[in-house]
Structures are given as C-alpha cells and as structure tokens.
C-alpha cells in the first residue's frame, strides 16, 4: 500500500509476514498506553507512554517477517515497565 499508516500495537506484537507501506509509516510497538498525534502536514508521531506490566509481558516486539517503507518510516519500539 502507498501513503498509509500500518500499526501493530499491544502487549505483545509479532510479525511473520511482509508489511509494505511505501511512502507511509509502519509501527510495531508493545506497551500498555500509546499516543498518536496527527499533524496538519500528514505526519504522524507515535509514542509508547506506558510499558507492559511484567505479569503480562510475553515477547515484546518480535519481527521475523519483512517490513518495507520505501520513502517512508519504520518504528519498532518497546517500553519496559519500571
């Protein structure tokens, strides 16, 4: 797909396939709370606000597939609980 935002977010995130977002953004993130901000210029910012509690934490972010964002951005992030 072109010019899209693809987000896989949750307490445990796993990708085993091809994710393609040419000229777009791909986010793979684990955590309990997130903030997405949409700017007027079609840019999106993504922040993990709160880590996953250790009692539910499984695999964090696992990517055994392929992520492609030609001309775009890829963000893979995890935030551990303090």
């Amino acid at each position: 797909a072109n010019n899209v935002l693809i987000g896989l977010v949750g307490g445990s995130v796993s990708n085993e396939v091809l994710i393609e977002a040419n000229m777009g953004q791909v986010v793979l993130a684990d955590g309990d709370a997130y903030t997405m901000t949409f700017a007027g210029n079609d840019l999106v910012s993504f922040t993990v606000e709160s880590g996953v509690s250790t009692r539910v934490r499984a695999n964090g972010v696992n990517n055994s597939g392929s992520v492609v964002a030609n001309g775009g951005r890829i963000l893979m992030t995890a935030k551990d609980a303090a």
Side-chain angles (χ1 to χ4, degrees):
N2 294 322
N3 299 308
V4 297
L5 167 65
I6 299 172
L8 301 178
V9 296
S12 179
V13 173
S14 180
N15 172 50
E16 299 174 357
V17 298
L18 169 65
I19 297 174
E20 188 170 6
N22 294 317
M23 300 301 294
Q25 296 184 53
V26 179
V27 176
L28 281 71
D30 84 329
D32 283 340
Y34 311 92
T35 298
M36 293 181 71
T37 305
F38 299 89
N41 57 359
D42 295 328
L43 296 177
V44 178
S45 70
F46 186 91
T47 305
V48 178
E49 297 293 338
S50 175
V52 175
S53 63
T54 55
R55 65 180 170 77
V56 298
R57 184 166 197 77
N59 298 319
V61 175
N62 178 27
N63 181 52
S64 61
S66 297
V67 180
V68 177
N70 294 319
R73 296 186 324 170
I74 299 171
L75 172 65
M76 293 185 195
T77 186
K79 185 168 187 172
D80 290 328

